[in-house]
Amino acid sequence: MQRGRLDMLLAFVAVAREGSFTRAAAQLGISQSTLSHTIRDLEERLDIRLLIRTTRSVSPTEAGERLLRNIGPRFEEIEAEVEALSELREKPAGTIRLTASDHAFNAVIWPKLAKLLPDYPDVTVEVFRDNALTDIAAERFDAGVRMGERVAKDMIAVRVGPDIRFAVVGTKSYFAKRPPPTTPQELTDHVCINQRFSISGGLWAWDFERDGRELKVRVDGQIVLNGTLEILEAALAGFGLAYVPEDVAERHLESGRLLRVLDEWSPPWPGYHLYYPSRRQASPAFALLVDALRFSG
């Protein structure tokens, strides 16, 4: 195949997957106008329209869907083989793409990455912070980091953090207006700060357990956020009760800015795990990352 045609197909795959000329151009390292011209040339050579362009989005036509479905996996295989060549090098090299929640990144991933990466300048780690349950295969991530009970059974899971306890917290000014709840069911009478993991996902139910009895409580309030730190800030500002990892609220509990309730209903939950498909062939760089993140406590 002519090199020019191959470059055009690579450009098409990037645009179709990103759904945006702007993001695809940034990914490919070329200008948006150059990319647009490349796609136009490809469509003229094939004499068929591949993409539907609107002012807000870009999506494949039926022909484009078929082309993407057939050639996309081929390019992924090529990328994997090129990446595998790093096995022949003395030092690990390559790019590793991870998805993780904001708390997992701050509490587990970043402290270990900060120690690892200076010794391996040829290794690049790209982390996408997302609280949703991302399909790592569909989104082309090498691995994800989530709490243990949220990892699919068909994935390889490696523990990377200790058990986690969650805390229900609020300010003194909040509790001056309402009596503290003594059972999780009483939360329905309180103003709470909700969390939504993704735009299309539902609100997160708060999990509790005591003496083998498990409860999930749907709470209500004025504010819905998707980031742990933002939820904590809203609680500190007096907008209601928050349900956050214990370590996030710890210093504010110690200082007295926040008060904790329902402590006896908050057992430890399985900590964070790195997960990835069982069929994945581990490169030296990926194996290095897994070992660095592995929890040894």
Side-chain angles (χ1 to χ4, degrees):
M1 178 183 290
Q2 295 179 354
R3 174 59 188 271
R5 180 76 65 83
L6 183 60
D7 288 341
M8 289 179 179
L9 292 173
L10 282 168
F12 162 73
V13 170
V15 175
R17 281 179 170 164
E18 292 294 332
S20 163
F21 275 90
T22 302
R23 292 194 296 269
Q27 180 189 111
L28 296 170
I30 61 177
S31 69
Q32 189 173 339
S33 60
T34 298
L35 179 58
S36 180
H37 183 73
T38 299
I39 297 299
R40 192 178 304 113
D41 283 349
L42 176 62
E43 290 177 325
E44 290 177 357
R45 288 196 186 191
L46 298 178
D47 193 26
I48 193 168
R49 191 174 185 184
L50 299 174
L51 295 171
I52 300 172
R53 306 163 177 82
T54 69
T55 56
R56 292 189 176 183
S57 65
V58 179
S59 59
T61 62
E62 182 179 355
E65 287 278 9
R66 177 177 175 178
L67 183 61
L68 178 64
R69 185 169 58 251
N70 285 306
I71 70 171
R74 306 295 185 271
F75 283 126
E76 290 176 4
E77 291 173 4
I78 293 172
E79 290 174 359
E81 290 301 324
V82 171
E83 186 74 19
L85 291 178
S86 64
E87 296 179 9
L88 302 178
R89 301 177 58 170
E90 293 182 2
K91 290 186 176 181
T95 298
I96 302 167
R97 300 184 72 236
L98 300 178
T99 173
S101 67
D102 54 353
H103 180 249
F105 177 80
N106 293 325
V108 173
I109 299 175
W110 178 243
K112 294 180 180 180
L113 282 184
K115 294 179 181 179
L116 171 72
L117 293 180
D119 294 330
Y120 297 92
D122 294 329
V123 175
T124 298
V125 180
E126 178 181 342
V127 182
F128 183 76
R129 298 206 303 179
D130 182 11
N131 292 314
L133 293 175
T134 304
D135 184 337
I136 59 174
E139 299 297 329
R140 303 178 67 207
F141 287 104
D142 295 297
V145 177
R146 293 291 181 266
M147 288 180 61
E149 81 276 5
R150 301 176 71 199
V151 176
K153 300 301 182 184
D154 60 343
M155 293 283 175
I156 293 177
V158 177
R159 190 181 182 94
V160 296
D163 285 347
I164 298 174
R165 292 187 75 213
F166 280 78
V168 179
V169 297
T171 59
K172 291 181 180 179
S173 61
Y174 175 85
F175 288 120
K177 301 174 184 177
R178 296 174 177 83
T182 57
T183 67
Q185 294 93 328
E186 293 178 12
L187 288 170
T188 56
D189 297 324
H190 284 261
V191 178
C192 299
I193 302 162
N194 260 307
Q195 182 170 15
R196 192 186 301 277
F197 286 123
S198 66
I199 295 175
S200 59
L203 298 178
W204 186 26
W206 295 9
D207 291 307
F208 299 95
E209 182 180 331
R210 184 178 183 182
D211 299 330
R213 181 188 178 194
E214 295 185 11
L215 289 175
K216 288 184 179 291
V217 179
R218 300 285 179 181
V219 298
D220 196 14
Q222 270 189 300
I223 300 177
V224 179
L225 301 168
N226 75 331
T228 302
L229 295 181
E230 290 80 2
I231 291 172
L232 179 68
E233 288 300 318
L236 289 168
F239 281 93
L241 301 182
Y243 182 75
V244 295
E246 188 177 56
D247 62 293
V248 172
E250 187 173 17
R251 68 186 180 92
H252 300 295
L253 292 169
E254 292 175 351
S255 69
R257 288 191 68 190
L258 291 175
L259 301 177
R260 183 173 186 171
V261 294
L262 301 176
D263 187 20
E264 66 277 10
W265 283 90
S266 301
W269 302 101
Y272 289 115
H273 286 64
L274 180 82
Y275 66 98
Y276 54 93
S278 57
R279 63 180 181 278
R280 190 189 193 286
Q281 182 178 1
S283 67
F286 185 76
L288 177 74
L289 180 71
V290 173
D291 287 340
L293 294 179
R294 191 186 305 273
F295 178 64
S296 58

